[in-house]
Amino acid sequence: MVSKLIIKQSFSFQRYDLNVNKTISFREVHFDRDVKLLHSWMNEKHVVPYWQLDLSLSDYSLHLQNFLKCEHQTLLIGEIDGVPISYWESYWVKGDLIKNYYEFDEYDQGVHLLIGEKDYLGIGLIYPLLMTILSQKFQVSQTEKVIAEPDVRNEKMIHVFKKCGFTPIKEVELPDKTGLLMFCERSTFERRWTDWQQNKF
């Protein structure tokens, strides 16, 4: 059984990325501070088709409160130079619905993400953000695989995952979407991380 200590590991951290000359940071979501920001992101046109959380503020508030109570996941805000631009759900597969769709390992982890701020779309900052959170996930020595399951229609996000070391495995019929199950193995990520550090990405 995965212990609560591992399940609720902290993901508040930052690092300076020389490739983009910006500080990449993650902090945990706090309801009072972040609910209105996240609600606004969930209602952006580029987010709605894939997240389907374009709810009223009161309904989204209930959703967020419920998600913050889930012990198998940690909700995060990703920032660039201190500006919040992205939302992340970092989770343990063992406690998530996706565990029913493949033979998971005890310490497999997963991630959902979105860029909420329109001004930060399409300028390449998703790569340092995703590479940074993957490097943090693989700090857990027992974790050999990080998974993702983006909507099969979301070609841009699938491209991002591939570039960061994820391999498509199969399509899966989830309650809210047809997802593309993707694996990022530790060995593959380590090669990608080296390339990223050497600006050969």
Side-chain angles (χ1 to χ4, degrees), residues 105-142:
D105 184 78
E106 181 86 6
Y107 290 93
D108 284 0
Q109 298 185 56
V111 64
H112 302 132
L113 64 107
L114 65 87
I115 300 294
E117 293 296 328
K118 292 183 292 185
D119 291 345
Y120 288 83
L121 288 172
I123 56 176
L125 292 176
I126 186 62
Y127 296 109
L129 282 162
L130 182 53
M131 293 296 286
T132 296
I133 202 169
L134 288 172
S135 71
Q136 189 74 6
K137 282 179 167 293
F138 281 115
Q139 292 300 308
V140 178
S141 60
Q142 301 98 325

Side-chain angles (χ1 to χ4, degrees), residues 139-158:
Q139 292 300 308
V140 178
S141 60
Q142 301 98 325
T143 294
E144 293 296 328
K145 184 191 302 106
V146 177
I147 76 153
E149 16 88 357
D151 192 302
V152 293
R153 300 169 298 166
N154 197 345
E155 295 179 359
K156 291 181 179 179
M157 197 67 249
I158 291 170

Side-chain angles (χ1 to χ4, degrees), residues 20 22-27 29 33-34 37-38 40-42 44 46-47 51 76-88 112-130 157:
V20 294
K22 296 182 183 298
T23 298
I24 309 299
S25 60
F26 289 88
R27 62 172 177 79
V29 169
R33 177 179 179 180
D34 297 315
L37 175 64
L38 291 175
S40 70
W41 289 351
M42 292 301 174
E44 290 286 357
H46 68 280
V47 173
W51 285 74
L76 306 167
I77 299 289
E79 301 179 339
I80 300 289
D81 286 343
V83 178
I85 71 164
S86 57
Y87 171 66
W88 304 70
H112 302 132
L113 64 107
L114 65 87
I115 300 294
E117 293 296 328
K118 292 183 292 185
D119 291 345
Y120 288 83
L121 288 172
I123 56 176
L125 292 176
I126 186 62
Y127 296 109
L129 282 162
L130 182 53
M157 197 67 249

